[in-house]
Amino acid sequence: MARIVCKFGGTSVATTERIAAVAARVKKIADQGHEVAVVVSAMSGATDQLIQWTREVATLQDAREYDVVIASGEQVTVGLTALALQSLGLAARSWLGWQIPIETDDVHAAARITRIADAELVKRMAAGEIPVVAGFQGLSPRRRLTTLGRGGSDLTAVALAAALEADQCDIYTDVDGVYTCDPRIVAKARKLDKITYEEMLEMASLGAKVLQTRSVELAMKYRVRLQVLSSFTDTPGTFVVDEDEIVEQALVSGVTYSRNEAKITLTQVADRPGVAAGIFGPLAEAAVNVDMIVQSAADDGTTDVTFTLPRTDLERALKLLNGLKPALGFKSVLADKNVVKVSVIGVGMRSHAGVAARMFKTLSDKGINIQVISTSEIKVSVLIAEDYTELALRALHTAYGLDAA
Ligand code: ASP
Ligand code: MG
């Protein structure tokens, strides 16, 4: 007998038929003798609609009221899921964030969970009741409703699994696991049986949208065994686990890409102390998340500074930089939106040389120019022209031996 947290995402609870199917799945698990807690998201599209409504009534948002509105999608699905479970003869009870409570800080719309008071849930689960917990919601120290940021139901599920010391946290979604690359682009992409927390974290933050990044961080911290699987099939998914659980570690386990990238180059920046701080300080204060940075020196005492940022922040950043021009004294600001970041990820590269070299060689064989490079212990990222996304992903997937047979 195990204790399992099952989380169902928006597509898994998108209609009442789907909710009935979720209930049937949960019944199967409970009938095997396991203790189950369920976490659900809002019906897919519901949260977007709620956000839209807040925008229609107010341009300046009071974050506390925004949270009250956007958390309501999960109130609908917990109630419906509990009803569906009850109609199958199971003891089930819905729980909103504040009822447990799931305590958070008071950073509305992006709250952090500080504590989950799980004693009552544990008692009821032991007595055979299935708690159905609203994802995404919390309670602030000032007793206001908070939300955890978009995709936050994953976080609720992982935090609950950690609090309950669950044996496993199953994240049901509309894909059947984590793939070596986006299967819509690379037809030969394979589903991974297992992936390490570190790799999953890199994949989530580098563009693979299967799990919310913060939830992976939390799972890694508390060593929560995660499984990503589909609620539409019965096949096992991908386990996100500790490195030592993976016997034969591939050099590279995945290739990802992110199109939400833009590149800015400041030309002929004075080459003296304080200039980088003068550029990136104001950007940081404006909450522009700068990613890759390169600086190249010319022999005339100036440098070109190139960096990447989310495409969605480009206009804002350009405005800010143009305002700084008199103070910083660079020549011009160049911007490019036609870029994509492609990354290869694998804990295996910690102990093997040549991963980056193979990437560069593969891209050059295809005539693809690399604009910016960045590396960490377990990933190599390059910025290339967006038009080459498909070509680059397919070539790299083959080059690292990831293609399905
Ligand atoms: N319903 C919330 C959202 O759409 C939380 C979630 O789905 O995880 O962001
Ligand atoms: Mg989601």
mmCIF file of all heavy atoms in Angstrom, residues 7-11 41-42 150-154 173 209-210 212, ligand 2:
data_model
loop_
_atom_site.group_PDB
_atom_site.id
_atom_site.type_symbol
_atom_site.label_atom_id
_atom_site.label_comp_id
_atom_site.label_asym_id
_atom_site.label_seq_id
_atom_site.Cartn_x
_atom_site.Cartn_y
_atom_site.Cartn_z
ATOM 1 N N LYS A 7 -2.409 14.458 -9.447
ATOM 2 C CA LYS A 7 -2.795 15.796 -9.892
ATOM 3 C C LYS A 7 -3.308 15.737 -11.327
ATOM 4 O O LYS A 7 -2.670 15.146 -12.202
ATOM 5 C CB LYS A 7 -1.594 16.739 -9.767
ATOM 6 C CG LYS A 7 -1.905 18.176 -10.141
ATOM 7 C CD LYS A 7 -1.476 18.514 -11.527
ATOM 8 C CE LYS A 7 -1.984 19.866 -11.973
ATOM 9 N NZ LYS A 7 -1.493 20.268 -13.292
ATOM 10 N N PHE A 8 -4.458 16.343 -11.555
ATOM 11 C CA PHE A 8 -5.041 16.356 -12.893
ATOM 12 C C PHE A 8 -5.066 17.787 -13.419
ATOM 13 O O PHE A 8 -5.638 18.676 -12.799
ATOM 14 C CB PHE A 8 -6.454 15.757 -12.859
ATOM 15 C CG PHE A 8 -6.439 14.299 -12.493
ATOM 16 C CD1 PHE A 8 -6.566 13.901 -11.172
ATOM 17 C CD2 PHE A 8 -6.253 13.326 -13.467
ATOM 18 C CE1 PHE A 8 -6.515 12.559 -10.819
ATOM 19 C CE2 PHE A 8 -6.199 11.982 -13.129
ATOM 20 C CZ PHE A 8 -6.328 11.592 -11.796
ATOM 21 N N GLY A 9 -4.445 17.983 -14.569
ATOM 22 C CA GLY A 9 -4.348 19.311 -15.175
ATOM 23 C C GLY A 9 -5.628 19.700 -15.899
ATOM 24 O O GLY A 9 -6.588 18.919 -15.983
ATOM 25 N N GLY A 10 -5.612 20.905 -16.435
ATOM 26 C CA GLY A 10 -6.802 21.491 -17.041
ATOM 27 C C GLY A 10 -7.461 20.654 -18.136
ATOM 28 O O GLY A 10 -8.689 20.547 -18.179
ATOM 29 N N THR A 11 -6.648 20.035 -18.986
ATOM 30 C CA THR A 11 -7.257 19.245 -20.061
ATOM 31 C C THR A 11 -7.891 17.959 -19.512
ATOM 32 O O THR A 11 -8.832 17.438 -20.092
ATOM 33 C CB THR A 11 -6.227 18.857 -21.151
ATOM 34 O OG1 THR A 11 -5.083 18.309 -20.508
ATOM 35 C CG2 THR A 11 -5.820 20.049 -21.986
ATOM 36 N N SER A 41 -6.591 21.164 -11.300
ATOM 37 C CA SER A 41 -6.538 22.515 -11.877
ATOM 38 C C SER A 41 -7.953 22.938 -12.251
ATOM 39 O O SER A 41 -8.880 22.138 -12.180
ATOM 40 C CB SER A 41 -5.740 22.516 -13.181
ATOM 41 O OG SER A 41 -4.416 22.173 -13.001
ATOM 42 N N ALA A 42 -8.064 24.151 -12.729
ATOM 43 C CA ALA A 42 -9.319 24.609 -13.321
ATOM 44 C C ALA A 42 -9.499 23.949 -14.688
ATOM 45 O O ALA A 42 -8.535 23.449 -15.270
ATOM 46 C CB ALA A 42 -9.274 26.119 -13.477
ATOM 47 N N ARG A 150 0.931 31.112 -12.612
ATOM 48 C CA ARG A 150 0.340 30.248 -13.640
ATOM 49 C C ARG A 150 0.972 28.859 -13.615
ATOM 50 O O ARG A 150 2.177 28.729 -13.416
ATOM 51 C CB ARG A 150 0.490 30.863 -15.034
ATOM 52 C CG ARG A 150 -0.259 32.176 -15.242
ATOM 53 C CD ARG A 150 -1.734 32.112 -14.863
ATOM 54 N NE ARG A 150 -2.503 31.076 -15.532
ATOM 55 C CZ ARG A 150 -3.109 31.202 -16.712
ATOM 56 N NH1 ARG A 150 -3.033 32.330 -17.362
ATOM 57 N NH2 ARG A 150 -3.818 30.210 -17.217
ATOM 58 N N GLY A 151 0.127 27.873 -13.801
ATOM 59 C CA GLY A 151 0.606 26.496 -13.735
ATOM 60 C C GLY A 151 0.833 26.021 -12.308
ATOM 61 O O GLY A 151 1.421 24.972 -12.069
ATOM 62 N N GLY A 152 0.341 26.795 -11.341
ATOM 63 C CA GLY A 152 0.648 26.545 -9.931
ATOM 64 C C GLY A 152 0.024 25.306 -9.318
ATOM 65 O O GLY A 152 0.383 24.929 -8.195
ATOM 66 N N SER A 153 -0.876 24.649 -10.015
ATOM 67 C CA SER A 153 -1.435 23.413 -9.459
ATOM 68 C C SER A 153 -0.378 22.326 -9.332
ATOM 69 O O SER A 153 -0.451 21.486 -8.434
ATOM 70 C CB SER A 153 -2.551 22.862 -10.342
ATOM 71 O OG SER A 153 -3.542 23.810 -10.491
ATOM 72 N N ASP A 154 0.586 22.334 -10.228
ATOM 73 C CA ASP A 154 1.701 21.384 -10.111
ATOM 74 C C ASP A 154 2.414 21.597 -8.775
ATOM 75 O O ASP A 154 2.771 20.642 -8.086
ATOM 76 C CB ASP A 154 2.729 21.599 -11.240
ATOM 77 C CG ASP A 154 2.233 21.133 -12.597
ATOM 78 O OD1 ASP A 154 1.198 20.442 -12.651
ATOM 79 O OD2 ASP A 154 2.890 21.466 -13.607
ATOM 80 N N THR A 173 -1.523 14.672 -17.343
ATOM 81 C CA THR A 173 -1.613 15.791 -18.266
ATOM 82 C C THR A 173 -2.073 15.268 -19.624
ATOM 83 O O THR A 173 -2.617 14.165 -19.709
ATOM 84 C CB THR A 173 -0.251 16.544 -18.300
ATOM 85 O OG1 THR A 173 -0.308 17.548 -19.282
ATOM 86 C CG2 THR A 173 0.901 15.617 -18.591
ATOM 87 N N LYS A 209 7.247 22.515 -21.796
ATOM 88 C CA LYS A 209 6.189 23.059 -20.945
ATOM 89 C C LYS A 209 5.456 22.005 -20.114
ATOM 90 O O LYS A 209 4.395 22.268 -19.572
ATOM 91 C CB LYS A 209 5.192 23.835 -21.807
ATOM 92 C CG LYS A 209 5.814 25.132 -22.282
ATOM 93 C CD LYS A 209 4.851 25.961 -23.124
ATOM 94 C CE LYS A 209 5.590 27.077 -23.817
ATOM 95 N NZ LYS A 209 6.516 26.565 -24.865
ATOM 96 N N VAL A 210 6.031 20.839 -19.984
ATOM 97 C CA VAL A 210 5.262 19.769 -19.366
ATOM 98 C C VAL A 210 5.057 19.933 -17.855
ATOM 99 O O VAL A 210 4.005 19.595 -17.331
ATOM 100 C CB VAL A 210 5.827 18.385 -19.775
ATOM 101 C CG1 VAL A 210 7.281 18.279 -19.497
ATOM 102 C CG2 VAL A 210 5.085 17.257 -19.126
ATOM 103 N N GLN A 212 5.574 22.748 -14.398
ATOM 104 C CA GLN A 212 5.924 24.098 -13.968
ATOM 105 C C GLN A 212 7.302 24.067 -13.294
ATOM 106 O O GLN A 212 7.588 23.174 -12.487
ATOM 107 C CB GLN A 212 4.834 24.590 -13.005
ATOM 108 C CG GLN A 212 4.951 26.041 -12.641
ATOM 109 C CD GLN A 212 4.747 26.256 -11.160
ATOM 110 O OE1 GLN A 212 5.036 25.396 -10.342
ATOM 111 N NE2 GLN A 212 4.244 27.427 -10.807
HETATM 112 MG MG MG B 2 -1.444 23.279 -15.671
#
